[in-house]
Amino acid sequence: MPGLIQGVARTAIVAGTATAVSNRVTRRQRGRWAAQGYDPYAPRSASYAEPPPASPPPPASGAPGPDMSARIEQLKQLGELRAQGVLTEAEFEQQKQRLLNG
């Protein structure tokens, strides 16, 4: 019987330690998210304000060429991804600059 009790005690200690570590990591991560103004566990309500859709850049003189039309379409898609919350504002700006400069 002593071997069985030691095994159960060891399992309880390991499980308790794992739970404590997991809870600490969760608290630290939530603190970081809170500092950034983001909490993935916060419920989304109807009052959640969607950012306005991105407006395309003003058209160049004359009709847009096929390259410009493709860029405008990609910018619209980026704006939709940002509105859905898939892209952050910084990621959106980075991808927009990549499209406009390349």
Side-chain angles (χ1 to χ4, degrees):
M1 275 305 223
L4 179 62
I5 293 174
Q6 287 176 342
V8 170
R10 183 179 300 127
T11 302
I13 291 170
V14 169
T17 302
T19 301
V21 170
S22 174
N23 288 341
R24 182 165 186 241
V25 168
T26 300
R27 281 193 305 271
R28 286 178 58 198
Q29 188 63 45
R30 280 189 138 193
R32 288 178 184 162
W33 286 333
Q36 295 174 0
Y38 174 75
D39 185 4
Y41 300 109
R44 302 277 182 185
S45 65
S47 64
Y48 175 72
E50 293 285 333
S55 60
S61 61
D67 184 47
M68 182 59 87
S69 296
R71 285 185 183 182
I72 291 172
E73 190 59 37
Q74 288 175 334
L75 284 171
K76 287 180 183 178
Q77 290 173 351
L78 284 175
E80 290 172 8
L81 289 173
R82 182 184 64 178
Q84 294 170 359
V86 175
L87 291 177
T88 64
E89 188 67 42
E91 291 169 333
F92 171 76
E93 289 298 325
Q94 180 184 21
Q95 292 299 320
K96 182 176 84 172
Q97 289 304 319
R98 184 185 60 82
L99 274 174
L100 294 176
N101 294 333

